[in-house]
Amino acid sequence: MRQTEHFNATYKTQRAFRWISALVLAGLALSTGIATAQTPGADLPGKGVKVQALQGPLAEETFQTMLANRALAQLGYETQPIKEVAYPTAHIAIGNGDATFLAVHWDPLHSDYYDNAGGDAKLLRTGQYAGPAAQGYLIDKATAEKHNITNIDQLRDPAIARLFDHDGDGKADLTGCDPGWGCEAMIEYHMDGYKLRSTVTHVQGSYSALIADTIGRYQRGESILYYTWTPYWVSSVLIPGKDVVWLQVPHSSNPQNADTRMADGSNYGFSVNTTRFVVNRAWAEKNPAAVKLFEVMRLPIADINAQNERVRNGQGSQEDIARHTAGWIKFHQALFDSWIAQAKAAAKP
């Protein structure tokens, strides 16, 4: 399967997951401790060790982080309430030993944050928790087909750019990325690299509010231009290939001089990312069971998208996400148990 087809296929797969998991969740008690009700035994490798997880400001990241905490609890670790901080701050806090781990480090997007926080001397980057994660620019399919728009380079044409002008200044309005997320820096780099400054405005603010407005415009039949990423619920509402299309870029353009072309030749301008764990190195060296856990945990993109859509639909409280997490564990109990077994084995001398 080509990579582009793979990304689109995940959106179809998630529908089956939503249907199945809805049945599973319906039969669960509302207790948030379904999968972790057992009291850790004295022989568990994490007994007595406190763990502080960090995550970014998105509620849609809580599921991934909470799942990791549930697994750590099964190993006896004393998990503390998750704290939300900006990504650069999270890396620094973990490097300094003020927190234990981050489950949503985007590699390579967050590589600068990793290096600036001390790199391998202070941190351990491990596992392949979720991926491949795509990022890029999309427009509504109707406008793309009517004007034969396939490449962001075409937005240099003022006539094309005006199709996406919503504030009357004659420039395309690109729904962009929050400051401090990492993606906003890459978009800004692209604005210069693809010579878009004179015809495109990078609209920043609260991404949740901006994308809600973008979806509203689409539903009213207006042309839209936006940045997004997977896994995230946006692509289950504005479905690539059905409602919207990815824009290609004319060439790779980034500070690292990385080739962002995919195996099928597509180029969305962003390297395909993998979300990984970042752990305080000194803590990791003392806790091989936790490190092994982080190495073996895998979470399908489609499952994250499905859970994120529940958050969008009003199930975003800590209790809701705890219920989603417990439901996922119950439905994947054998897999979850295998993670715990491998982690326990790693702790044995």
Side-chain angles (χ1 to χ4, degrees):
M1 178 182 290
R2 299 191 312 167
Q3 288 193 48
T4 304
E5 293 171 343
H6 170 78
F7 294 138
N8 291 338
T10 60
Y11 309 128
K12 299 176 182 177
T13 303
Q14 71 179 9
R15 282 174 165 70
F17 172 79
R18 285 202 299 270
W19 177 76
I20 293 170
S21 60
L23 295 179
V24 173
L25 291 175
L28 294 177
L30 295 182
S31 168
T32 62
I34 291 173
T36 56
Q38 295 180 349
T39 301
D43 59 337
L44 293 181
K47 184 172 177 57
V49 180
K50 291 184 178 180
V51 174
Q52 179 62 65
L54 301 180
Q55 70 171 70
L58 285 169
E60 289 83 359
E61 292 182 353
T62 305
F63 172 53
Q64 297 94 299
T65 310
M66 193 175 287
L67 180 60
N69 267 352
R70 291 293 178 87
L72 287 166
Q74 287 293 292
L75 295 171
Y77 289 96
E78 297 179 8
T79 59
Q80 309 303 299
I82 301 166
K83 293 183 178 179
E84 295 183 7
V85 296
Y87 298 113
T89 304
H91 286 77
I92 292 171
I94 294 168
N96 290 341
D98 297 324
T100 311
F101 77 94
L102 175 74
V104 285
H105 168 88
W106 281 56
D107 187 16
L109 185 66
H110 291 164
S111 292
D112 285 348
Y113 300 156
Y114 184 88
D115 294 339
N116 293 339
D120 292 340
K122 289 188 173 183
L123 301 168
L124 172 68
R125 179 166 46 199
T126 188
Q128 297 181 31
Y129 196 14
Q135 304 173 74
Y137 308 106
L138 298 96
I139 63 173
D140 60 287
K141 188 176 182 182
T143 303
E145 292 181 345
K146 182 177 180 180
H147 297 276
N148 193 29
I149 303 170
T150 60
N151 197 296
I152 200 166
D153 189 54
Q154 293 172 261
L155 293 174
R156 294 171 61 189
D157 180 346
I160 295 295
R162 279 195 295 270
L163 297 172
F164 305 97
D165 175 22
H166 300 300
D167 60 10
D169 66 355
K171 298 172 68 173
D173 293 306
L174 165 65
T175 298
C177 192
D178 285 32
W181 285 8
C183 43
E184 89 289 352
M186 190 60 67
I187 294 173
E188 285 296 303
Y189 195 91
H190 287 167
M191 293 289 287
D192 293 322
Y194 301 135
K195 297 179 172 61
L196 299 171
R197 291 281 179 195
S198 63
T199 56
V200 178
T201 299
H202 178 197
V203 182
Q204 294 181 268
S206 166
Y207 185 83
S208 297
L210 292 173
I211 200 65
D213 181 65
T214 301
I215 292 170
R217 293 184 184 281
Y218 173 79
Q219 292 171 340
R220 294 192 297 271
E222 299 177 29
S223 300
I224 57 172
L225 166 66
Y226 65 98
Y227 161 87
T228 200
W229 67 95
T230 60
Y232 197 54
W233 60 263
V234 171
S235 292
S236 62
V237 176
L238 298 174
I239 302 174
K242 177 178 178 290
D243 305 310
V244 294
V245 296
W246 294 93
L247 291 181
Q248 303 286 319
V249 296
H251 54 82
S252 300
S253 178
N254 54 72
Q256 297 78 30
N257 294 317
D259 186 351
T260 53
R261 287 178 300 174
M262 294 183 284
D264 64 357
S266 316
N267 193 343
Y268 299 156
F270 293 80
S271 297
V272 175
N273 276 245
T274 300
T275 57
R276 306 178 66 188
F277 288 91
V278 165
V279 193
N280 176 270
R281 180 166 287 276
W283 187 91
E285 290 173 352
K286 298 176 182 177
N287 291 274
V291 172
K292 185 63 176 180
L293 176 69
F294 297 152
E295 289 176 359
V296 301
M297 289 185 74
R298 299 286 187 277
L299 192 53
I301 292 288
D303 292 11
I304 299 173
N305 280 340
Q307 190 278 333
N308 284 183
E309 190 170 1
R310 290 195 182 92
V311 172
R312 174 186 178 258
N313 291 333
Q315 298 182 39
S317 70
Q318 290 293 305
E319 293 76 13
D320 288 330
I321 299 172
R323 189 176 67 253
H324 302 161
T325 305
W328 191 94
I329 293 170
K330 186 174 180 66
F331 188 70
H332 300 85
Q333 193 69 59
L335 174 62
F336 183 83
D337 291 346
S338 75
W339 296 341
I340 305 305
Q342 291 175 76
K344 288 180 177 178
K348 296 179 180 178

